Amino acid sequence: MLIVTAVLGTAWGAVDDLVSNAEYHVLRPAGPGGCTAVVRETFFLVVGNGEAYAVGRTGLALGKSGSWVVDDGYRPVDAGTYELDWGRDSGLLRISGTSTDPVVRGGSADIDCWW
């Protein structure tokens, strides 16, 4: 039963990535202790979505650090309209849209690899 669940979960994730045209970006530079920001950008019809994850040295992300919605399927990270600033302990990812493709919800994520 556990194997069937794992296979179905993997298949569901792959289909979701195909349908939503998902793109993944590893943002550089890495932050304190090797903390890395990884972004998943998708679009469906005319809505773009993004999710940021904090990935530690283990390579695991323990849940979303933040998310955003952008008009017209715009992908701000792919277009380079974002800022990632690292502090001593964590980072702040700020997402910007354009005048014609604004960020309509969210727009920032705290990147913190506390583990």
Side-chain angles (χ1 to χ4, degrees):
M1 185 67 164
L2 184 59
I3 292 171
V4 170
T5 302
V7 169
L8 289 176
T10 301
W12 179 260
V15 168
D16 182 46
D17 276 358
L18 287 172
V19 170
S20 62
N21 299 300
E23 288 184 3
Y24 292 84
H25 304 278
V26 177
L27 305 184
R28 297 286 182 223
C35 187
T36 303
V38 176
V39 170
R40 178 180 188 258
E41 289 186 303
T42 62
F43 75 89
F44 186 73
L45 297 175
V46 295
V47 176
N49 293 292
E51 301 166 341
Y53 299 88
V55 178
R57 286 179 280 160
T58 62
L60 297 175
L62 300 177
K64 280 189 282 191
S65 296
S67 63
W68 55 91
V69 176
V70 184
D71 195 21
D72 290 337
Y74 181 68
R75 295 180 185 216
V77 174
D78 190 47
T81 55
Y82 70 92
E83 289 181 42
L84 175 60
D85 296 313
W86 291 104
R88 236 162 69 129
D89 299 321
S90 63
L92 178 63
L93 176 64
R94 287 186 295 276
I95 303 299
S96 304
T98 66
S99 60
T100 56
D101 300 317
V103 175
V104 294
R105 189 179 78 227
S108 68
D110 292 319
I111 308 298
D112 187 9
C113 297
W114 51 269
W115 61 96

